[in-house]
Amino acid sequence: MFSKQSSHGYITVLDGIQRKTVVHGDNTLMTEFLLKKGRFLPFHKHPEEQTGYLVSGKIKLNIGGDEYEAGPGDSWVIPGGTEHGADIIEDSVAVEVFAPVREDYINK
């Protein structure tokens, strides 16, 4: 699968948090998140492992009770089944890969 850059296809997950599935294969799925300053991504967990990279902005991640402040170029891994959430400190863009594929993130 190949995907060209586009400003279309974003889904509003919560107020100030948008997600777009960029591309997926049999084993992984890549998403782009647009995150607005002052918003909070509530604590949640899912069985998929989640690997992320902050393209721009600043966020504070809480992964399994540990806090990390991330800036552009920082990355993280969230093991499957681990509770996590984030405070959005600045308008931010993050790219994340899920394995295995999150079926609920596939655009149908």
Side-chain angles (χ1 to χ4, degrees):
M1 177 181 259
F2 179 83
S3 179
K4 295 284 278 181
Q5 190 282 335
S6 170
S7 61
H8 301 289
Y10 290 94
I11 296 167
T12 299
V13 179
L14 297 167
D15 183 40
I17 298 177
Q18 294 183 302
R19 178 192 83 229
K20 176 171 76 169
T21 296
V22 179
V23 69
H24 67 86
D26 292 334
N27 301 303
T28 61
L29 177 137
M30 180 182 289
T31 58
E32 181 180 60
F33 286 89
L34 305 180
L35 310 161
K36 290 291 183 189
K37 177 182 178 178
R39 302 299 194 252
F40 177 72
L41 182 62
F43 286 101
H44 65 285
K45 61 183 175 179
H46 42 75
E48 299 84 5
E49 182 175 83
Q50 180 175 343
T51 302
Y53 176 84
L54 195 63
V55 176
S56 63
K58 187 183 286 186
I59 63 175
K60 187 188 307 181
L61 293 164
N62 186 307
I63 303 171
D66 294 324
E67 288 192 350
Y68 306 93
E69 191 167 294
D74 291 342
S75 55
W76 54 89
V77 173
I78 303 169
T82 302
E83 189 171 65
H84 57 285
D87 285 306
I88 315 308
I89 299 168
E90 297 176 359
D91 286 353
S92 301
V93 175
V95 172
E96 296 193 290
V97 174
F98 295 87
V101 170
R102 283 194 66 156
E103 296 294 331
D104 58 327
Y105 278 20
I106 294 177
N107 299 331
K108 304 210 176 179

